């Protein structure tokens, strides 16, 4: 039997209009933004207020752009 | 375990690749843990170009780690001249819902993504295969069994 392939997540649409330089909290199925904050704790707290106890979190940079991830910083952040 | 890449926004299209309207990155859902504390789940990029596993400093601070008390090193990138400090601590990484690995990971303030799974700590624990012959591409990882 062929091995199951787990689905990736389409975060492109949901994060395009989201705040930048921020922590974003998402529902567990990653379909909706339920929290935002300058700190991780703020984003989680807002998610919990919105009824999501264990949100998915993601850092939204100032600009979504291709990068060599191993580069520790982006040029714009280093300025 | 096989998993499709996830898509992320692309703010400015590359004129050399006008059909690319979003970015596909090989990510795994992870938690980072220290003592009995764990972070929420977040997508971490599987990156063979990174020597180590690296997370944003906020991830370490959330766990109560005194990030800046860790062993300090400097990390540069593909564009020479710019380096950023990175601080190392021992943590556990919970990979998807399947595995837990003990890792000495770096924490950096200016990391542009939430987390990176790099060579030391991740690639020495998993065989990793990237399949770009399909769209979206597929990441395959298999745990390396090590003798005790």
């Amino acid at each position: 039997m062929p091995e199951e392939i787990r689905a990736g997540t389409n975060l492109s649409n949901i994060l395009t209009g989201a705040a930048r330089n921020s922590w974003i909290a998402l529902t567990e199925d990653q379909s909706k933004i339920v929290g935002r904050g300058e700190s991780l704790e703020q984003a989680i707290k807002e998610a919990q207020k919105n009824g999501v106890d264990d949100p998915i979190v993601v850092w939204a940079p100032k600009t979504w752009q291709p990068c060599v991830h191993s580069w520790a910083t982006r040029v714009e952040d280093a300025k | 375990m096989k998993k499709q890449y996830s898509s992320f926004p692309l703010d400015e299209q590359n004129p050399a690749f006008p059909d690319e309207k979003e970015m596909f990155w090989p990510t795994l859902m992870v938690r980072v843990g220290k003592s009995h504390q764990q972070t929420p789940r977040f997508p971490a990029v599987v990156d063979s170009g990174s020597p180590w596993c690296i997370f944003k400093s906020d991830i370490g601070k959330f766990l109560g780690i005194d990030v800046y008390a860790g062993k300090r090193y400097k990390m540069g990138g593909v564009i020479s001249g710019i380096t950023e400090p990175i601080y190392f601590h021992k943590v556990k990484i919970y990979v998807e819902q399947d595995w837990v690995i003990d890792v000495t990971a770096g924490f950096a303030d200016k990391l542009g993504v939430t987390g990176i799974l790099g060579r030391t700590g991740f690639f020495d624990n998993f065989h990793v295969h990237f399949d770009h012959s399909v769209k979206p591409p597929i990441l395959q990882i298999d745990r390396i069994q090590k003798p005790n």
Side-chain angles (χ1 to χ4, degrees):
Chain A
M1 187 190 289
E3 188 180 349
E4 178 197 353
I5 300 174
R6 297 182 189 179
T9 309
N10 180 353
L11 291 172
S12 179
N13 293 339
I14 197 166
L15 291 176
T16 294
R20 304 298 174 89
N21 274 335
S22 299
W23 285 95
I24 304 294
L26 305 164
T27 51
E28 290 182 25
D29 65 2
Q30 301 172 76
S31 64
K32 189 178 165 192
I33 293 173
V34 288
R36 184 216 149 259
E38 288 182 13
S39 72
L40 181 54
E41 287 81 359
Q42 285 175 336
I44 294 169
K45 200 172 172 183
E46 198 172 305
Q48 289 171 340
K49 251 189 220 170
N50 287 318
V52 179
D53 288 336
D54 189 21
I56 306 292
V57 295
V58 62
W59 170 253
K62 183 177 173 187
T63 308
W64 288 103
Q65 62 187 24
C67 61
V68 177
H69 295 291
S70 53
W71 190 20
T73 183
R74 294 165 185 268
V75 174
E76 65 184 22
D77 293 334
K79 283 176 184 170
Chain B
M1 189 275 281
K2 291 182 178 178
K3 187 176 183 182
Q4 290 176 327
Y5 284 26
S6 292
S7 67
F8 290 81
L10 176 60
D11 286 337
E12 187 181 341
Q13 281 181 254
N14 181 345
F17 298 94
D19 293 337
E20 293 183 3
K21 296 177 172 30
E22 55 195 343
M23 298 186 287
F24 283 95
W25 288 348
T27 61
L28 294 170
M29 205 54 81
V30 303
R31 296 180 194 268
V32 179
K34 181 81 176 178
S35 302
H36 298 294
Q37 186 88 354
Q38 286 182 23
T39 66
R41 288 186 296 157
F42 61 88
V45 181
V46 178
D47 181 9
S48 64
S50 174
W52 317 287
C53 297
I54 310 171
F55 303 100
K56 281 195 75 66
S57 296
D58 289 351
I59 293 290
K61 292 172 189 170
F62 179 86
L63 295 169
I65 295 172
D66 184 359
V67 169
Y68 307 118
K71 289 182 178 164
R72 186 180 192 272
Y73 196 63
K74 279 186 178 176
M75 182 164 175
V78 289
I79 297 178
S80 62
I82 299 172
T83 61
E84 281 295 320
I86 179 169
Y87 304 88
F88 288 88
H89 296 271
K90 288 185 179 177
V91 292
K92 287 185 186 296
I93 302 177
Y94 300 80
V95 181
E96 296 277 319
Q97 293 171 3
D98 304 272
W99 302 282
V100 185
I101 52 177
D102 291 299
V103 169
T104 299
F107 293 86
D109 286 346
K110 291 187 174 177
L111 193 67
V113 293
T114 317
I116 287 172
L117 302 173
R119 296 195 297 271
T120 298
F122 186 77
F123 281 74
D124 52 4
N125 276 297
F126 292 91
H127 290 296
V128 182
H129 179 78
F130 302 99
D131 181 0
H132 280 243
S133 68
V134 292
K135 194 168 182 180
I138 293 170
L139 167 71
Q140 179 176 352
I141 62 167
D142 296 292
R143 185 79 156 98
I144 297 170
Q145 299 301 327
K146 294 180 179 175
N148 290 329

